[in-house]
Amino acid sequence: MDLIQAGQQGRVRREDNDIANSTRYDTGTSIGTSTRTSTGNDIDDPTAQRSSPVGEAADPHCLRPGEARSLLAGAPWRRLVVLGDLAVERAAEPVEGYGPGPWYDRVATALDEAAEDVAYLNLLGRREPRVAQVRSGQLPAALAFRGDLALVCCGTAYTPDETFGRYGLTAELVRIVTPLRDAGHDVVLLGSHPLAAWPGLPDGRRERVAEQQNRVSEQARAVALRHGTLYVEPAPRRPGTEAAAVWSRDRPRPNSRGHAALAAAVVRALGTRPGAAAGRGPVRPP
């Protein structure tokens, strides 16, 4: 796999995704950092704003300057892989005062600033695959990468036509997490911002979406506890203006503030695990 420089931030090496295109979804490798404003927005909702009076440096849900370096000092990870059922975010809706980088690039950069020379493979595609497709299409490449830290986001994509049974997601997550753990990866399972707060969601569907997301969260937490991984959800979780402010107004995707908050949640979880920051052992759940 080719090694390419990841922008001008640190010395993170991003390794291209060379999964065969025989999979039913498109696999993307190039992640842009454009600040292009999304178009076609016909939603006029005062709870979703393009600007924030706080700004990233002062937002308690985002990393403060120097915080990531302090939290991850001595971190043992050198090979990061990201996989899951989310689509790569080419250009998140910009929010004034917040950087444009997507959460996965932010986490890779934070690791590199603390440890340097971090190799990074992003297996997220341009479309949202099913969880079973993540297992069949992305997991083999993740294992071949021989990494030591895996960020797994499964069940987080908004798929109204996909209903997880009582243990359906649990079974698929186990089939993904177990091989990664057996291969020596520390694994972080990621939740998502509360989708019921997205301004574009019809009011009549909010309760159903919140219930579905809670069910997904419960299953992922159970897998994390059983298999010695972390489960991370970004703040804020409470409904209301603050929760809505992390979403793009015209599509169910985090805006730049949402990406910054999710990256901060991951970095803080990694940095506060007993022994992890000092490189003394694997990530363990609280």
Side-chain angles (χ1 to χ4, degrees):
M1 291 182 287
D2 295 331
L3 299 178
I4 62 175
Q5 200 73 17
Q8 301 300 318
Q9 300 177 333
R11 291 188 296 172
V12 175
R13 300 180 301 167
R14 181 183 298 133
E15 300 203 4
D16 284 337
N17 170 10
D18 61 353
I19 297 177
N21 289 327
S22 60
T23 52
R24 295 173 56 189
Y25 54 93
D26 191 8
T27 55
T29 60
S30 175
I31 301 173
T33 55
S34 169
T35 57
R36 175 180 57 84
T37 301
S38 61
T39 58
N41 174 25
D42 58 0
I43 298 173
D44 185 14
D45 190 302
T47 64
Q49 304 175 0
R50 292 186 184 276
S51 61
S52 169
V54 178
E56 186 170 339
D59 191 329
H61 302 302
C62 301
L63 292 169
R64 298 183 300 275
E67 182 182 0
R69 183 185 296 272
S70 176
L71 287 172
L72 298 176
W77 306 292
R78 295 297 183 274
R79 296 182 68 81
L80 169 67
V81 60
V82 180
L83 63 159
D85 60 0
L86 295 177
V88 289
E89 191 67 65
R90 300 288 174 177
E93 181 181 278
V95 178
E96 184 179 352
Y98 292 79
W103 65 266
Y104 29 79
D105 281 3
R106 287 171 174 266
V107 173
T109 298
L111 285 171
D112 184 68
E113 288 177 348
E116 296 190 353
D117 200 27
V118 172
Y120 165 36
L121 175 64
N122 191 334
L123 294 170
L124 302 181
R126 295 188 182 94
R127 300 175 185 173
E128 296 172 350
R130 305 286 182 160
V131 178
Q133 291 174 318
V134 173
R135 173 174 51 82
S136 62
Q138 297 179 18
L139 181 59
L143 295 173
F145 179 62
R146 297 183 182 276
D148 50 22
L149 178 62
L151 306 183
V152 181
C153 38
C154 284
T156 58
Y158 180 40
T159 52
D161 59 333
E162 181 176 17
T163 302
F164 294 114
R166 185 175 182 184
Y167 300 111
L169 178 62
T170 296
E172 290 295 346
L173 283 178
V174 168
R175 293 186 183 112
I176 293 171
V177 170
T178 299
L180 289 170
R181 294 291 287 148
D182 289 345
H185 292 77
D186 286 327
V187 178
V188 179
L189 294 178
L190 275 74
S192 64
H193 296 287
L195 186 59
W198 175 48
L201 190 68
D203 290 339
R205 306 186 70 177
R206 295 187 188 279
E207 184 175 351
R208 175 193 170 197
V209 167
E211 181 182 354
Q212 180 186 29
Q213 194 169 25
N214 287 337
R215 185 166 63 250
V216 166
S217 177
E218 289 174 0
Q219 293 186 50
R221 286 180 186 277
V223 172
L225 183 62
R226 179 178 299 177
H227 292 271
T229 76
L230 281 172
Y231 179 73
V232 175
E233 283 186 338
R237 292 294 300 174
R238 294 188 300 273
T241 301
E242 189 177 12
V246 300
W247 290 105
S248 299
R249 291 184 291 180
D250 62 345
R251 55 183 181 154
R253 298 284 188 277
N255 56 28
S256 58
R257 185 187 185 196
H259 278 277
L262 180 53
V266 174
V267 169
R268 286 169 176 167
L270 290 174
T272 57
R273 302 299 357 118
R280 294 193 296 269
V283 175
R284 298 297 181 193

